[in-house]
């Protein structure tokens, strides 16, 4: 069922389990995610990026997610990932998103607060949650590329101030994880051996000062042990995209290599969707969200 994000993300879950926020861009990804949530009886967030909306078409993609979510026997919330365009946010709220992210993290602290407050005021009047980012999450995300620097990480005191000045509902923190897969700039090869490292002390310090649910972006590639620690520390939402895409991709390539004569897109795509579902189920289990998807009250 399609639910408001507040039905599945709340104070009761903090420290016990966390909700995966899976990115989707098409029918196959959406179905793989929904099947994983149903099989694990888990609540999940399905989120769209600006790029995904452009790729599939806004109304097309939102309709697919809503139809699949409504049919599901577990609670599913719809969220917009990184967005710096207030007009697009207004349209998405109109289309039924219960949560949106205004990402003004590329601006100065003061400008970030200013734009975030405008979005919060608009969204809260309509019962919609707002996520914002303080610090800068590494890697590539749609329009922005963030390279490196400890100074880009979220400062715990500033985070507390930011939350009270903006009245946001969830906070995306920069603590060392990164969007996407790191690539060697010289050879252009994917650095699969490079594990991301979360600054766990910083995360704990932020948790002590910030009482609203925290969001860890770039959760793909973070070792399971660190993810579990982050759940216990109180991260309530984990954004996951790349690991689903990699699983899909690998299965797709293997299938095509093994069966040179298939040409029916359904036969080409089905094993890839299954692989994506398996990967999503693994993530749900690591976050301890299995069997937490009872019908919300
Ligand atoms: P990954 O692609 O690293 O999983 O990150 C996804 C994300 O944080 C989307 O906002």
């Amino acid at each position: 069922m399609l639910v408001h994000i507040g039905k599945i993300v709340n104070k009761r879950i903090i420290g016990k389990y966390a909700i995966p926020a899976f990115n989707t861009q098409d029918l196959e990804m959406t179905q793989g995610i929904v099947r994983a949530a149903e099989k694990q009886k888990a609540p999940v967030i399905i989120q769209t990026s600006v790029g995904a909306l452009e790729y599939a078409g806004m109304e097309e993609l939102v309709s697919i997610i809503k139809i699949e979510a409504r049919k599901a026997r577990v609670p599913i919330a719809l969220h917009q990932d990184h967005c710096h365009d207030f007009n697009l946010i207004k349209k998405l709220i109109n289309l039924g998103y219960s949560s949106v992210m205004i990402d003004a993290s590329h601006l100065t602290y003061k400008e970030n607060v200013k734009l975030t407050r405008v979005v919060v005021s608009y969204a809260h009047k309509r019962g919609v949650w707002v996520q914002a980012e303080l610090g800068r999450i590494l890697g590539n995300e749609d329009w922005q590329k963030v390279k490196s620097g400890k100074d880009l990480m979220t400062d715990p005191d500033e985070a507390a101030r930011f939350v009270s000045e903006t009245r946001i509902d969830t906070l995306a923190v920069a603590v060392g994880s990164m969007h996407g897969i790191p690539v060697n700039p010289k050879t252009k090869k994917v650095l699969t051996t490079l594990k991301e490292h979360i600054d766990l002390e910083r995360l704990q310090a932020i948790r002590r000062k910030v009482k609203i649910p925290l969001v860890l972006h770039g959760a793909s590639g973070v070792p399971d042990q660190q993810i579990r620690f982050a759940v216990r520390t109180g991260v309530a939402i984990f954004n996951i995209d790349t690991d689903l895409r990699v699983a899909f991709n690998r299965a797709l390539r293997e299938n095509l290599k093994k069966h040179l004569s298939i040409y029916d897109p359904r036969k080409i795509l089905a094993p890839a969707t299954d692989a994506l579902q398996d990967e999503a189920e693994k993530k749900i289990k690591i976050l301890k969200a299995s069997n937490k998807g009872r019908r919300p009250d």
Side-chain angles (χ1 to χ4, degrees):
M1 65 219 80
L2 184 65
V3 299
H4 190 282
I5 191 169
K7 292 279 183 199
I8 56 175
V9 178
N10 53 52
K11 290 212 168 94
R12 288 191 301 258
I13 75 167
I14 291 178
K16 297 191 182 99
Y17 68 94
I19 309 294
F22 293 121
N23 286 75
T24 188
Q25 62 188 35
D26 57 21
L27 176 71
E28 282 72 24
M29 285 188 90
T30 308
Q31 288 185 334
I33 294 164
V34 172
R35 284 176 202 160
E38 291 209 284
K39 180 115 179 272
Q40 289 301 314
K41 299 189 175 60
V44 298
I45 295 167
I46 297 187
Q47 60 186 3
T48 52
S49 65
V50 175
L53 294 172
E54 281 167 3
Y55 166 77
M58 182 171 65
E59 292 188 358
E60 292 83 343
L61 186 56
V62 176
S63 302
I64 289 172
I65 302 169
K66 284 208 267 192
I67 291 168
E68 294 291 335
R70 282 189 186 125
K71 279 194 323 201
R73 293 179 300 274
V74 287
I76 297 177
L78 178 55
H79 168 78
Q80 173 61 27
D81 203 6
H82 302 268
C83 187
H84 57 310
D85 177 352
F86 186 28
N87 283 326
L88 178 58
I89 285 180
K90 286 182 191 164
K91 281 187 199 156
L92 296 171
I93 288 176
N94 235 352
L95 282 175
Y97 282 60
S98 63
S99 176
V100 290
M101 178 180 191
I102 174 68
D103 181 356
S105 62
H106 53 295
L107 304 177
T108 62
Y109 175 84
K110 227 167 136 188
E111 288 165 336
N112 189 350
V113 169
K114 196 169 157 203
L115 179 54
T116 303
R117 280 172 70 123
V118 173
V119 174
V120 167
S121 157
Y122 181 90
H124 281 185
K125 276 190 202 121
R126 290 154 181 87
V128 170
W129 279 22
V130 178
Q131 181 184 136
E133 176 176 327
L134 188 67
R136 305 218 50 204
I137 293 154
L138 303 172
N140 297 347
E141 174 64 39
D142 275 348
W143 79 97
Q144 52 181 342
K145 284 188 178 51
V146 183
K147 283 204 177 118
S148 69
K150 222 178 161 64
D151 53 330
L152 300 179
M153 292 218 194
T154 307
D155 174 76
D157 289 311
E158 200 174 59
R161 210 174 110 208
F162 184 73
V163 170
S164 89
E165 286 177 0
T166 57
R167 298 185 10 260
I168 50 170
D169 305 277
T170 54
L171 176 70
V173 291
V175 289
S177 57
M178 89 186 265
H179 288 124
I181 305 179
V183 174
N184 182 319
K186 284 198 186 119
T187 63
K188 304 280 178 232
K189 281 206 171 134
V190 169
L191 298 169
T192 44
T193 49
L194 187 86
K195 286 281 182 200
E196 291 166 36
H197 181 74
I198 303 287
D199 182 344
L200 301 170
E201 276 174 30
R202 183 181 296 267
L203 186 60
Q204 283 177 312
I206 297 169
R207 184 69 237 148
R208 281 195 288 273
K209 310 227 163 189
V210 174
K211 299 300 167 216
I212 62 168
L214 301 177
V215 186
L216 189 88
H217 282 242
S220 299
V222 177
D224 294 352
Q225 225 184 342
Q226 293 198 11
I227 295 278
R228 289 193 192 99
F229 182 94
V231 174
R232 289 198 299 277
T233 304
V235 174
I237 300 173
F238 288 73
N239 279 17
I240 301 159
D241 186 10
T242 301
D243 280 347
L244 299 194
R245 290 170 181 237
V246 169
F248 185 92
N249 222 291
R250 196 174 289 140
L252 186 73
R253 287 171 199 269
E254 273 168 19
N255 186 28
L256 285 172
K257 217 156 117 192
K258 237 198 281 169
H259 306 284
L260 291 174
S261 61
I262 52 169
Y263 61 91
D264 179 342
R266 292 168 297 185
K267 291 197 175 125
I268 293 172
L269 293 171
T273 305
D274 291 346
L276 184 146
Q277 176 186 339
D278 287 349
E279 186 64 26
E281 286 190 51
K282 273 190 216 151
K283 300 295 183 190
I284 289 170
K285 287 184 199 159
I286 295 167
L287 300 181
K288 290 190 181 298
S290 306
N291 300 311
K292 301 292 194 299
R294 280 166 290 139
R295 194 171 271 277
D297 20 77

